[in-house]
Amino acid sequence: MVSGGLLVQQVVNGLFFGGQLALIAVGLTLIWGVARVLNFAHGAMFMVGGFVGFYTLGATGSILLASVLAVIVVFVLGYVVEHSLLEPMRDREEFDIASMVVTLGLAIFLENAILVGVGSQRKSFPTFTDVIWNVAGVTISVQRLVIFLISLVALAALFLIITRTKLGLAIRAVSQDSDTALLMGVRPKRIYSITFGASAALAGLAGVLLAPMFSVYPSVGWYPFLLAFIVVMVGGLGSVRGTLVAALGLAIVRSISMIWIASETAMIVLFAIMVAVLIVNPDGIGGWLDG
Amino acid sequence: MTASTFRTALGRARQRLAEDARSRNGRAIAVGTALALLAPLALTAYTLDIVMQLFIAILAVSSWIFIAGYFGMFTFAHAALYGIGAYAAVLLVGEAGVHPVASILLGGIVAGLFSLPIAYPVLRLTGAYVGMVTLAYAEIIYRGTILLRDVTGGPTGYTGFPYLFGGDSVVMYYFVLSLVGVLLLVMYVLLVNRFGLVARAIRESPDAARMLGNNVPRHKLMGFLIGSSIAGVAGALQAYSILIISPPMLEIERMIEFMAMGIIGGLRTLSGGIFGAVIVFGLSEVLRDYGEIRLVVWGGMLVIVTLFFPNGIADSDFGLRERFGGDVPIGDRIREVIGR
């Protein structure tokens, strides 16, 4: 029999992990919703963010500076990639597959170029705090709590930008109907590039934040990318709200299932959930949430 | 399929083969086939082995093009199913004492069975969604082969299976060459007939294909099963040609290799797989000593080819463009051939 304490502990762990997962998955769903690009380079953006963070932290010792710099660098990288690689193909009929292949090629290129450049050994981050709280029998790592809170702040900032600013209005307009948006004086091409940059920057931020736990190496992005994949499929591609719910829900399911099975096997549970959701409703749970 | 429709199907394939043989790519493939048949006269056992692995790669890539290029189902599970075919074949020989030649075909069947759990969700999805679901499935198969160490030997792999044909490399070479040739012909015959036309109709517009009276899910399921089973056979052949199988055989890196071959060669024809495999395989051999540079080059080539050569380097449609392009819309042409 599983004790109640262990269950609560795993729910808390799952919640923290869900916040980080949401940070990665929301970027993936956002760029699909706005520009119909399935970004296979999302994991590579995560990895680049991790490396920028690693070197900045090594040089300055400031996690804040490392995060800001990673966000800026990855945003610029994402903007340039969209502008120079994806924009020229946008009018093609099979754009969704062509963009998938190009971003996949880019991911392999980036990952292995860095592998050739710096080698494959794992670079461990210094943890920024070792403090652990004990609240009513549940242990809470302060570092994980801080990462969770930063993730929430970043997601809230994104949500505010999308709902409250003129840029957000333009993004929503382009995602609804890019031709009409163009007639209203919005430049869809720029919006696509900015959205791609922002989506990549979220992955880059996640790369810095999670690096203290996972350490940094060239192929570090694949596993979080696959998890984020399953999350957006369950949440419904393009639905930010569905993705948030799915990220928290699946992360908690993953944590709880890890009471009985190994963490590698937990992926199979998530996959089974994904297939079940797809068979019942190919639009994912976002279809119900967004009405 | 009755005997007369079977004869018609073969007749159409023969007619198309005669036309294709006169095309630029057709002549290149004919010369290549002749060289392949004569190769054992001139090559050492080591070089023969490399050529053999090229044929296996051609089979694997062509079976991927069969699914991804013709049906538009962009599957990422192909390398995993290729690995499943390899594991199934050698485990049947090593643990159950099945005859090695039979095990190769059984490996294909097992790969087909393993494709079923993913085939059903894939039937309901399109475009990029297919890529995501199959990628997750491939990852699970990969992790599964590592975790089930009692059966698969875990990360170090499985070696307890014999040489085919007592290690006679020339006999092995001709066996691989003929099996690859037969399976390529099977796919070719299917694709130049009604099956292939319906596949392309489904790729262009599933709704229109359904309105023409085709059972779209059944066709997609057949395509996915046939392509995956042939990948399994290719995997089994590869296992016998290198005599060890380990999890890297079904890693995502292998999938990327197949995709690079298919996309660089061109997804619109089976011959694209042959050209792509020759180019990428040749490049890999040249860059063998430089490790990961190979992957940097593939990644860059994927980007450049997709951007500038949307139909791949071997951009020839075996004359299909003249047949389908021009004044006649493809829908009319398909209706005409299907006869509805």
Side-chain angles (χ1 to χ4, degrees):
Chain A
M1 196 53 215
V2 178
S3 74
L6 181 58
L7 207 60
V8 174
Q9 176 71 58
Q10 286 305 89
V11 170
V12 170
N13 289 350
L15 193 66
F16 284 179
F17 187 68
Q20 298 146 17
L21 199 52
L23 201 57
I24 307 168
V26 163
L28 206 55
T29 214
L30 179 73
I31 192 63
W32 172 271
V34 175
R36 291 273 137 178
V37 174
L38 184 63
N39 182 16
F40 262 71
H42 209 62
M45 302 293 177
F46 177 94
M47 179 267 296
V48 171
F51 269 100
V52 171
F54 176 79
Y55 286 116
T56 318
L57 202 62
T60 65
S62 160
I63 184 82
L64 192 70
L65 189 65
S67 305
V68 172
L69 210 61
V71 166
I72 293 173
V73 169
V74 181
F75 179 88
V76 172
L77 179 64
Y79 191 99
V80 170
V81 163
E82 208 288 334
H83 186 77
S84 55
L85 298 184
L86 298 177
E87 206 52 63
M89 319 189 296
R90 186 158 288 283
D91 296 329
R92 249 189 241 170
E93 219 171 281
E94 76 293 20
F95 175 71
D96 62 339
I97 286 184
S99 60
M100 188 164 88
V101 174
V102 163
T103 51
L104 176 68
L106 178 75
I108 299 158
F109 181 84
L110 282 176
E111 184 188 312
N112 291 287
I114 287 182
L115 186 60
V116 171
V118 305
S120 63
Q121 71 273 32
R122 292 164 181 249
K123 301 188 185 306
S124 323
F125 250 38
T127 45
F128 48 84
T129 165
D130 292 333
V131 182
I132 288 176
W133 289 342
N134 199 320
V135 184
V138 177
T139 53
I140 294 175
S141 143
V142 173
Q143 171 157 327
R144 284 187 171 232
L145 182 66
V146 170
I147 293 173
F148 178 68
L149 291 176
I150 297 178
S151 306
L152 287 193
V153 170
L155 288 172
L158 176 79
F159 194 70
L160 285 177
I161 290 173
I162 290 180
T163 54
R164 297 291 158 82
T165 64
K166 221 171 165 181
L167 173 67
L169 187 65
I171 291 176
R172 278 179 290 146
V174 169
S175 78
Q176 299 258 326
D177 184 344
S178 61
D179 293 335
T180 313
L182 182 64
L183 294 175
M184 298 295 140
V186 176
R187 277 184 286 173
K189 286 186 180 179
R190 261 193 67 197
I191 297 295
Y192 290 144
S193 300
I194 290 174
T195 313
F196 198 97
S199 138
L202 286 178
L205 178 63
V208 186
L209 292 179
L210 294 188
M213 279 187 277
F214 288 137
S215 71
V216 192
Y217 49 97
S219 59
V220 67
W222 279 106
Y223 185 65
F225 172 66
L226 276 169
L227 281 179
F229 243 27
I230 294 182
V231 167
V232 295
M233 291 303 284
V234 171
L237 256 183
S239 163
V240 173
R241 237 175 300 181
T243 300
L244 282 175
V245 172
L248 291 177
L250 287 180
I252 290 172
V253 169
R254 175 174 174 271
S255 291
I256 291 176
S257 66
M258 271 155 60
I259 296 174
W260 297 280
I261 55 181
S263 63
E264 290 96 343
T265 333
M267 182 103 173
I268 296 177
V269 176
L270 300 188
F271 178 77
I273 293 174
M274 177 184 78
V275 171
V277 168
L278 284 174
I279 288 174
V280 175
N281 180 6
D283 294 333
I285 57 177
W288 297 318
L289 287 173
D290 297 340
Chain B
M1 188 181 265
T2 65
S4 71
T5 53
F6 185 65
R7 268 200 301 277
T8 320
L10 279 187
R12 186 172 289 136
R14 203 162 48 218
Q15 191 189 334
R16 276 292 307 281
L17 198 57
E19 289 169 28
D20 291 345
R22 286 191 291 273
S23 75
R24 179 171 52 93
N25 286 0
R27 279 196 299 270
I29 290 171
V31 172
T33 312
L35 286 177
L37 281 169
L38 298 174
L41 298 177
L43 298 180
T44 62
Y46 174 74
T47 349
L48 212 54
D49 196 57
I50 292 176
V51 179
M52 196 161 76
Q53 284 178 32
L54 170 65
F55 295 150
I56 296 168
I58 287 174
L59 185 63
V61 178
S62 304
S63 63
W64 183 66
I65 289 179
F66 187 82
I67 304 176
Y70 281 82
F71 284 87
M73 294 186 283
F74 217 79
T75 171
F76 276 77
H78 216 66
L81 295 168
Y82 165 92
I84 288 282
Y87 271 105
V90 300
L91 286 172
L92 282 168
V93 172
E95 309 293 323
V98 174
H99 189 273
V101 174
S103 80
I104 290 173
L105 300 177
L106 287 171
I109 291 171
V110 173
L113 291 176
F114 266 85
S115 78
L116 284 176
I118 198 66
Y120 187 63
V122 160
L123 299 185
R124 296 165 58 96
L125 304 171
T126 53
Y129 288 80
V130 177
M132 285 197 277
V133 181
T134 49
L135 178 63
Y137 186 60
E139 185 69 13
I140 282 161
I141 292 181
Y142 170 62
R143 280 167 197 277
T145 53
I146 297 177
L147 289 172
L148 294 173
R149 63 177 68 230
D150 295 342
V151 186
T152 61
T156 48
Y158 186 91
T159 48
F161 58 99
Y163 280 103
L164 266 184
F165 310 114
D168 185 332
S169 57
V170 174
V171 178
M172 175 74 179
Y173 176 85
Y174 279 117
F175 174 71
V176 170
L177 180 61
S178 48
L179 190 55
V180 168
V182 166
L183 289 174
L184 284 177
L185 268 180
V186 166
M187 287 191 281
Y188 181 84
V189 170
L190 282 171
L191 289 175
V192 297
N193 276 290
R194 197 190 132 91
F195 184 85
L197 284 164
V198 174
R200 268 188 294 247
I202 291 172
R203 185 187 69 205
E204 300 299 329
S205 166
D207 291 335
R210 195 175 57 240
M211 286 198 304
L212 287 171
N214 296 297
N215 186 338
V216 173
R218 205 189 66 190
H219 256 88
K220 287 171 94 172
L221 187 67
M222 288 294 289
F224 202 82
L225 265 180
I226 294 171
S228 300
S229 305
I230 292 177
V233 173
L237 285 177
Q238 173 70 1
Y240 280 110
S241 86
I242 55 176
L243 285 181
I244 177 177
I245 42 167
S246 53
M249 197 169 170
L250 30 77
E251 232 176 348
I252 183 76
E253 187 184 302
R254 181 65 57 121
M255 187 65 236
I256 288 161
E257 186 180 348
F258 292 164
M259 288 174 60
M261 290 173 176
I263 289 162
I264 288 167
L267 288 180
R268 294 300 189 214
T269 60
L270 278 185
S271 67
I274 299 177
F275 288 104
V278 170
I279 292 167
V280 174
F281 193 90
L283 209 61
S284 298
E285 285 301 314
V286 174
L287 295 175
R288 184 165 287 276
D289 297 335
Y290 300 93
E292 309 303 332
I293 294 271
R294 196 175 84 247
L295 284 161
V296 180
V297 173
W298 291 352
M301 276 177 85
L302 271 185
V303 173
I304 291 167
V305 169
T306 316
L307 274 177
F308 301 109
F309 306 93
N311 294 328
I313 287 175
D315 181 16
S316 157
D317 233 6
F318 271 134
L320 268 181
R321 221 166 350 176
E322 292 81 30
R323 292 162 67 110
F324 288 121
D327 304 331
V328 188
I330 185 161
D332 291 350
R333 175 63 190 161
I334 287 171
R335 227 163 307 165
E336 183 189 314
V337 175
I338 295 175
R340 283 174 199 267

